[in-house]
Amino acid sequence: MTRTEEFEELRPLLFSIAYRILGSVSEAEDAVQETWLRYELSATQPASVRAFLSAVVTRVSIDVLRSARRRREEYVGPWFPEPLLTDPYEDPEQSAELADSLSMASLLLLERLSPLERAVFVLREVFAFGFADIASAVGRSPAACRQLAVRARHHMDAGRPRFEADRKEREELAERFFDAVREGNVEGLRKLLAADVTLLGDGGGKAPQWARGFTGADAVSQVLATLFPPFVRIGGIVEPHQVNGQPGAIFRDWDGKVLNTWTLDILDGRIQTIRTVSNPDKLAHVGPVADAWAVLRETQQLLADTD
């Protein structure tokens, strides 16, 4: 097997590691590309290509994360990870765990960890790497990595998100929710939302967003029922789709361009949190991006004409 073939076989794993450390599709792809360049230029053949490449992509991701955190401190409004529609790494034996580790809630919780803690947690808890390989990846001793893992696990366990166990039930509830959104069915929405549901948006100052967000079933159902039926009438599209391993949707304009993505956290038969990403910088990998301001103007005009 050539180096190129070895690398391509491991690319899904490398991307999945990098994305969970970075929370960014574009930065994860860059980290994987940098890993390939380092592998291509290395003079020796590693004993374990998987361990070597995983270590390199982890080190690159840690460096990127350290600089990215400074930029995120200046970010306008809430910062959410870039939406990921499909995880390229598949492992049927741990598919549920891999999906849950991709969720917006889990990735936001990882943001509370230091870059080293985050990398150790991802390698150990998500991908089950041994501490010897983790130590090589992060440049610490195995004993130090065990301590980092314990600290990271403690922080994650303290706020670990919980999701509806039955994935089919999640999908069915999400389908009813998006039907109610299209129809502007306030009562139908209220029945599907937790009493303390929150609606939050990441526009990055570059797209319309939900002010500071909305909280409570009444407030959230009212705003959704007001805005989205006119959006559908002007040709807007609500396309249910798994986003970050959870039920969600891609919202598109009348030309099929991407307006935003939504993800739903569902527990106990109710939607607990709705997160939307409309920052165009975070949507380019999903498809051609819509002019969100133009869509808002069209929607507002239709609302004004029907008053």
Side-chain angles (χ1 to χ4, degrees):
M1 186 180 292
T2 66
R3 282 198 172 191
T4 301
E5 290 169 337
E6 289 174 330
F7 186 85
E8 289 304 321
E9 187 174 272
L10 290 165
R11 182 187 288 273
L13 171 64
L14 303 178
F15 174 85
S16 296
I17 291 171
Y19 178 77
R20 285 167 173 82
I21 294 174
L22 293 167
S24 165
V25 172
S26 55
E27 289 174 351
E29 289 174 343
D30 288 345
V32 172
Q33 182 61 25
E34 176 64 21
T35 300
W36 161 246
L37 293 175
R38 295 189 187 187
Y39 183 43
E40 186 181 34
L41 295 172
S42 63
T44 59
Q45 181 70 11
S48 169
V49 176
R50 181 178 186 270
F52 174 81
L53 293 177
S54 299
V56 173
V57 82
T58 297
R59 288 195 290 270
V60 172
S61 298
I62 289 172
D63 289 342
V64 173
L65 182 59
R66 284 172 173 151
S67 61
R69 284 197 160 186
R70 289 192 288 272
R71 296 195 301 273
R72 290 172 192 176
E73 289 173 0
E74 302 171 357
Y75 196 81
V76 177
W79 180 92
F80 294 158
E82 289 184 10
L84 184 66
L85 303 187
T86 305
D87 185 4
Y89 180 72
E90 297 181 1
D91 184 344
E93 292 185 0
Q94 59 169 152
S95 59
E97 293 87 344
L98 285 169
D100 286 350
S101 72
L102 269 184
S103 72
M104 288 279 181
S106 294
L107 292 172
L108 288 170
L109 194 55
L110 281 169
E111 283 289 306
R112 302 179 187 180
L113 305 181
S114 72
L116 277 180
E117 288 173 339
R118 184 165 182 163
V120 169
F121 183 87
V122 167
L123 291 176
R124 181 63 181 174
E125 299 297 324
V126 180
F127 295 100
F129 276 76
F131 281 109
D133 287 336
I134 296 172
S136 173
V138 303
R140 296 291 190 275
S141 68
C145 289
R146 289 181 187 277
Q147 292 179 337
L148 286 166
V150 168
R151 286 206 303 269
R153 195 180 306 115
H154 174 75
H155 288 306
M156 292 295 289
D157 287 345
R160 190 183 296 276
R162 296 168 55 227
F163 302 110
E164 191 74 53
D166 191 314
R167 302 184 78 80
K168 183 179 179 182
E169 288 183 13
R170 284 192 235 177
E171 295 298 330
E172 290 175 349
L173 190 150
E175 184 177 354
R176 296 199 303 274
F177 169 76
F178 287 117
D179 284 344
V181 166
R182 293 187 193 92
E183 297 164 3
N185 183 344
V186 175
E187 190 56 35
L189 286 167
R190 192 179 288 117
K191 290 178 180 178
L192 298 173
L193 301 173
D196 58 350
V197 63
T198 57
L199 168 63
L200 299 166
D202 173 353
K206 299 183 178 184
Q209 62 186 65
W210 306 105
R212 293 189 177 183
F214 296 89
T215 301
D218 289 340
V220 172
S221 59
Q222 286 290 345
V223 72
L224 295 181
T226 299
L227 287 179
F228 285 96
F231 167 73
V232 172
R233 289 203 295 276
I234 64 172
I237 301 164
V238 182
E239 178 187 317
H241 201 292
Q242 284 267 326
V243 181
N244 284 83
Q246 303 298 320
I250 304 169
F251 281 63
R252 301 181 184 273
D253 71 1
W254 44 84
D255 291 325
K257 294 181 179 178
V258 179
L259 184 64
N260 55 38
T261 62
W262 289 31
T263 55
L264 310 178
D265 290 353
I266 298 173
L267 180 66
D268 298 331
R270 295 288 186 274
I271 295 168
Q272 309 289 324
T273 308
I274 305 166
R275 295 184 181 88
T276 73
V277 176
S278 55
N279 182 341
D281 295 343
K282 296 185 175 185
L283 298 172
H285 64 282
V286 179
V289 179
D291 182 344
W293 297 104
V295 173
L296 180 62
R297 287 193 296 271
E298 290 278 351
T299 303
Q300 289 176 328
Q301 185 59 55
L302 182 56
L303 282 170
D305 291 344
T306 55
D307 282 346

